[in-house]
Amino acid sequence: MEDATCVTSPSPLGNSPTADYDVALRAIEEKRLPALKGFGASRITVVRTSERTSAAITEWPDRATRDAAELKIDEVRRSVKREDQSRMTGEMKGEIVTDV
C-alpha cells in the first residue's frame, strides 16, 4: 500500500485574502509541488480549506520513499518559509488503507 502525508498551512496575511491566497498557491505550484515530485511523490492534491488555508495531500509509492524524502522536505519548508512567510500548521501521515 501507498503512504500519504497531509499538511495544512495558511497563506500569508495581507489586505486581500483572495489575492494573498492566489500568491501563496502560485508559490506552492512553482516550488513545493515540483520539489515533492522530485523526492518521489506519486501524487499531490491541494485542497483549499478556507479563504486563507490549504491542505496538501501527498501520496508516496511506499513508506521507504516517504521516509527518505522527509529530511529534504523539511529543508524545502524552511526555505519556503523564509521566502514567502507561509508556515505549516499541522501534519498527519500514514498508510493508505483504501481508495475508491
Side-chain angles (χ1 to χ4, degrees), residues 4 6 8 11 21-22 25 32 35 47 50 53 55 58 68 76 90 97 100:
C6 179
T8 57
S11 63
Y21 183 84
D22 291 344
L25 182 60
R32 295 183 192 197
V47 179
S50 77
T53 60
T58 307
V76 169
V97 293
V100 179

Side-chain angles (χ1 to χ4, degrees), residues 17-88:
T18 300
D20 291 342
Y21 183 84
D22 291 344
V23 168
L25 182 60
R26 192 166 37 256
I28 289 168
E29 292 172 334
E30 293 173 359
K31 297 177 184 176
R32 295 183 192 197
L33 302 186
L36 289 168
K37 289 295 271 184
F39 299 150
S42 53
R43 180 179 173 171
I44 307 154
T45 305
V46 178
V47 179
R48 187 171 187 167
T49 55
S50 77
E51 275 192 334
R52 295 189 184 273
T53 60
S54 293
I57 303 162
T58 307
E59 295 179 28
W60 303 93
D62 52 49
R63 183 175 293 177
T65 304
R66 183 197 72 196
D67 291 349
E70 203 163 88
L71 293 175
K72 297 173 191 172
I73 292 168
D74 287 341
E75 179 54 38
V76 169
R77 288 178 182 150
R78 285 190 295 275
S79 172
V80 171
K81 183 176 180 179
R82 284 190 301 270
E83 292 175 22
D84 67 14
Q85 301 303 306
S86 64
R87 61 189 168 83
M88 181 179 73

